[in-house]
Amino acid sequence: MEAKMMRRYDIMEVCLLAGKIMLQSGAETYRVEDTMMRIAASYGIKESHSYVTPTGIIFSIETEEPTKTKLIRINERSTDLEKVTLVNSLSRQISKGHLSVEEAFHALEKLDESDLSYPFKLQLLAATIASGCFLIMFLGSWNDFIPAAITGGVGYICLIYFQRVVPIKFFSEFLASLIIGMLAFGFVQSGLGHQLDKIVIGSVMPLVPGLLITNAVRDLMAGHLVSGLSKGAEAFLTAFAIGGGVAVVFTLL
């Protein structure tokens, strides 16, 4: 009996760890719940229930023994779609019966501890090039490509730095957009830039929470109203922080 209960407890740990990795990496709420329940079903658990919000996961398993329920708290969230893909791959292997409970847990544990994000220099390069490309996409002049790229790159550096110094997302985004507005204004005043609005728009695009907005809409469409509204509110605060930082510069200068 004890070994049987321990095995079911291990199944719960596998499901929770998979859900935690996906939620922390930017997966949609309904996808997290579906993956957890599929993993439980693959290991012979006929009745399982999951309730996921952006800040926590509640998961329970119904068996002949007393029902087990566990809650875990999600404190940090980022965007790492590669981890989401890898968890989905492990889930499919579990469904096909290729992984035991212990093997799945160790694989997920190793994935949770790994850092699959791109190096900072590569992220900075991508943000820099993307800023210039967004400027062109919004019908800006090629003469402003370099100013927009530099402004976007510096803004991204400031965002990462402020996130480490001030662990409050709103303030780091506000300060980063403030610096972007000041740099863009400086480029235009010095004659190196011409279209202030286009430079600012292109430079702030790497800060825009595109994935968060997409997940909010998809969760709302899937019927997860709490998660959809909370993610939408978080995206709104991010947009407000970006707009507020730029507005302060335009107001004062």
Side-chain angles (χ1 to χ4, degrees):
M1 179 68 69
E2 184 177 354
K4 190 175 182 180
M5 291 289 290
M6 181 59 69
R7 174 175 171 78
R8 285 175 176 164
Y9 180 76
D10 290 339
I11 293 174
M12 177 178 285
E13 291 294 324
V14 171
C15 296
L16 284 170
L17 185 54
K20 173 189 171 185
I21 295 172
M22 295 184 71
L23 194 60
Q24 286 181 332
S25 302
E28 307 94 320
T29 299
Y30 72 88
R31 188 187 300 274
V32 175
E33 292 185 350
D34 182 69
T35 300
M36 294 171 66
M37 295 173 67
R38 285 178 182 272
I39 291 175
S42 300
Y43 286 127
I45 303 300
K46 297 180 179 179
E47 293 291 336
S48 62
H49 305 279
S50 61
Y51 180 74
V52 178
T53 69
T55 57
I57 299 175
I58 301 174
F59 188 70
S60 68
I61 290 178
E62 293 186 10
T63 62
E64 298 176 357
E65 292 79 18
T67 300
K68 281 186 171 293
T69 302
K70 191 170 182 179
L71 179 148
I72 59 174
R73 178 78 173 177
I74 305 298
N75 295 317
E76 297 181 2
R77 297 185 302 277
S78 62
T79 301
D80 193 341
L81 298 183
E82 185 175 0
K83 281 192 174 183
V84 176
T85 302
L86 291 174
V87 172
N88 285 332
S89 178
L90 288 172
S91 175
R92 286 191 288 270
Q93 293 184 46
I94 292 171
S95 298
K96 294 178 182 178
H98 296 166
L99 293 177
S100 65
V101 177
E102 292 77 15
E103 289 173 340
F105 181 79
H106 290 310
L108 289 168
E109 193 175 38
K110 182 179 179 180
L111 179 60
D112 185 32
E113 295 173 353
S114 63
D115 183 10
L116 303 180
S117 59
Y118 290 105
F120 174 73
K121 292 182 179 179
L122 187 58
Q123 295 181 36
L124 176 60
L125 178 62
T128 301
I129 297 176
S131 298
C133 293
F134 276 118
L135 170 97
I136 302 303
M137 190 179 74
F138 289 113
L139 304 180
S141 172
W142 280 100
N143 294 329
D144 292 329
F145 184 91
I146 299 299
I150 295 175
T151 303
V154 173
Y156 187 78
I157 292 175
C158 294
L159 175 68
I160 300 300
Y161 173 76
F162 289 135
Q163 282 180 343
R164 295 176 180 176
V165 176
V166 183
I168 300 176
K169 188 176 180 182
F170 179 87
F171 290 109
S172 60
E173 290 163 346
F174 175 82
L175 294 173
S177 61
L178 181 69
I179 292 175
I180 285 175
M182 294 175 63
L183 280 175
F185 185 82
F187 275 119
V188 173
Q189 287 295 105
S190 64
L192 297 176
H194 301 86
Q195 297 175 300
L196 178 61
D197 56 339
K198 298 297 192 299
I199 295 176
V200 170
I201 293 173
S203 301
V204 300
M205 287 305 293
L207 310 183
V208 174
L211 180 64
L212 192 61
I213 296 173
T214 303
N215 286 349
V217 174
R218 296 186 68 175
D219 281 339
L220 287 172
M221 294 177 64
H224 294 268
L225 302 181
V226 174
S227 296
L229 291 175
S230 60
K231 289 180 180 179
E234 185 179 354
F236 172 78
L237 286 175
T238 298
F240 180 77
I242 295 172
V246 175
V248 168
V249 175
F250 282 9
T251 302
L252 297 178
L253 301 178

